[in-house]
Amino acid sequence: MTQPREVWVFIEQDGGNVAPVSLELLGKARELADQLDGKVCGLLLGDGVADRADMVIHHGADEVLLAQAPELGVYRTLPYARVAVDLVKGRQPYIFLLGATPVGRDLAPRIASACWAGLTADCTSLQIGDFEFRDEVYKDLLYQIRPAFGGNIIATIVNPETRPQMATVREGVMKMEQPDEARRGVITQVAPQFDPADLVVEVLEREMRLPSCDLKGASVVVAGGMGVGSKEGFDLIAGLAHVLGGEVGASRAAVDAGFIEKEHQVGQTGVTVRPRLYVACGISGAVQHCAGMDQAGTIVAINSDPSAPIFQLAHYRIVGDLHEVIPQLISAYRGTAK
Ligand code: FAD
């Protein structure tokens, strides 16, 4: 009997806190594995993280490969790569997904190069499909889909020959499915083995800076672009965000102009958001910006240019100067909220 094809997800955690992107990827992995008649495995590495295994199963895994050791307590490239590469070589997964976080971006290429596997960074969509090349048909490949050439094309990348087919995906791109607490799976303990050379880097001290905004989790985002005109102009954006109980987002152009910090940037090279309501103020609607917000429930756009591309995406369109429109919205909202 042939073994089911395995779709692996690297479960990123820090101090036992599992990164949301790993849970998002488990939902996607479940969908892909179901199409392949395969199984989902979560690769959980750390020290004292066994109690996280159930969470991995509830989010869609059939099996958790659990490697625990003091050497894996804090993420370091070499020991993590050693364990992951040994497991990949032993089990030959079909697909391996990682979050496009600083850790995932560090670890994924290490694993890919050690295993001679193909890797696509920052995918925005993953699908299963066939691929024909020189009269040969490759069945059930992973389509690794992402914007390329500055967002001007959407490329579909395949690895016909090498396994695993590896991809990283940024946080917020895939939808996190609700956990199913009744779901049962297998937890396989793995004994990690290290080479002394894997442990040459020591972590002496860690300094953590908490983000000042939670764009990813926000149910309302009010975002400003170049049309806001200045750093001070963002007080207006913050004012509207405040009355709506939301977070402030921004276009990259506004960030580059120094109107607001980078952590507020929405889009292909910023944060991907899925709020209930997204208000785009003075944002033209470039494809790279829209890639980060087009999944919002309702999109309201305020722009002085009636032909701005953002209006093609928006559910509600307000043509006008945002410096006039936003104060009216704020006072109207305050009026109805009383
Ligand atoms: P503009 O395109 O200059 O638009 C300003 C808009 O404001 C115009 O539509 C104008 O009509 C309107 N306006 C002006 N004055 C007013 C007013 N008083 N009232 C109302 N409306 C007004 N961009 C992102 O946002 N996020 C990304 O992650 C991102 N990643 C990128 C990655 C790559 C590889 C590349 C090449 C580009 C990326 N960009 C990204 C940049 C993107 O292509 C656009 O340049 C950027 O989104 C434009 O920002 P904007 O809409 O604020 O500015």
Side-chain angles (χ1 to χ4, degrees):
M1 204 180 87
T2 53
Q3 291 291 323
R5 289 181 282 199
E6 293 184 356
V7 181
W8 282 22
V9 176
F10 173 67
I11 307 300
E12 184 174 336
Q13 59 78 30
D14 186 28
N17 296 316
V18 174
V21 67
S22 303
L23 304 179
E24 292 161 12
L25 286 178
L26 282 169
K28 187 60 178 179
R30 179 77 267 152
E31 184 191 314
L32 298 172
D34 288 346
Q35 286 178 51
L36 294 165
D37 268 335
K39 63 186 269 193
V40 176
C41 293
L43 182 56
L44 179 57
L45 275 51
D47 190 23
V49 291
D51 59 351
R52 305 284 94 184
D54 279 345
M55 181 198 254
V56 176
I57 291 168
H58 296 163
H59 277 85
D62 300 297
E63 182 177 0
V64 179
L65 297 170
L66 175 64
Q68 298 194 95
E71 293 85 346
L72 300 172
V74 173
Y75 176 78
R76 283 178 292 167
T77 311
L78 295 175
Y80 268 66
R82 166 75 61 188
V83 178
V85 168
D86 285 351
L87 284 167
V88 167
K89 287 186 173 166
R91 297 259 305 231
Q92 298 287 324
Y94 189 65
I95 292 171
F96 193 176
L97 309 177
L98 300 91
T101 60
V103 165
R105 285 178 174 152
D106 182 60
L107 185 60
R110 287 268 174 178
I111 302 170
S113 68
C115 300
W116 291 86
L119 165 68
T120 304
D122 289 3
C123 292
T124 51
S125 176
L126 297 169
Q127 295 168 16
I128 300 294
D130 300 340
F131 173 67
E132 197 177 334
F133 183 63
R134 293 196 181 139
D135 297 333
E136 187 144 2
V137 179
Y138 299 85
K139 304 290 282 179
D140 295 338
L141 291 184
L142 179 68
Y143 287 178
Q144 301 151 48
I145 301 166
R146 56 153 296 158
F149 297 107
N152 292 317
I153 63 159
I154 299 291
T156 299
I157 298 162
V158 288
N159 306 335
E161 311 278 1
T162 60
R163 300 290 176 267
Q165 302 164 84
M166 293 186 65
T168 66
V169 177
R170 280 147 45 88
E171 198 165 343
V173 171
M174 303 297 171
K175 188 162 170 271
M176 192 190 298
E177 301 298 342
Q178 286 299 319
D180 173 2
E181 306 217 333
R183 224 188 125 70
R184 297 284 168 262
V186 177
I187 300 171
T188 305
Q189 303 266 357
V190 176
Q193 312 238 311
F194 302 103
D195 188 287
D198 298 334
L199 307 171
V200 288
V201 174
E202 269 182 73
V203 178
L204 301 180
E205 199 177 290
R206 300 179 83 205
E207 206 169 296
M208 309 290 279
R209 190 174 70 86
L210 294 173
S212 64
C213 64
D214 177 21
L215 269 183
K216 283 185 299 258
S219 64
V220 175
V221 175
V222 181
M226 279 308 275
V228 174
S230 65
K231 198 170 179 167
E232 295 67 40
F234 262 85
D235 291 346
L236 204 53
I237 304 296
L240 184 57
H242 180 70
V243 293
L244 296 177
E247 293 279 358
V248 174
S251 70
R252 177 160 140 179
V255 170
D256 290 348
F259 298 169
I260 191 159
E261 297 79 37
K262 163 89 179 150
E263 64 191 325
H264 292 269
Q265 183 184 318
V266 173
Q268 188 187 319
T269 46
V271 179
T272 303
V273 296
R274 280 173 190 269
R276 216 166 19 84
L277 172 66
Y278 190 87
V279 188
C281 311
I283 293 177
S284 57
V287 62
Q288 297 90 352
H289 183 83
C290 296
M293 45 65 79
D294 58 4
Q295 299 293 316
T298 301
I299 299 168
V300 177
I302 307 168
N303 201 301
S304 50
D305 175 3
S307 60
I310 191 78
F311 284 140
Q312 288 165 23
L313 197 65
H315 302 97
Y316 296 94
R317 308 169 184 98
I318 303 175
V319 178
D321 182 339
L322 65 91
H323 300 99
E324 290 167 17
V325 173
I326 294 180
Q328 290 181 49
L329 284 179
I330 292 174
S331 65
Y333 191 80
R334 282 204 180 119
T336 47
K338 267 183 199 151

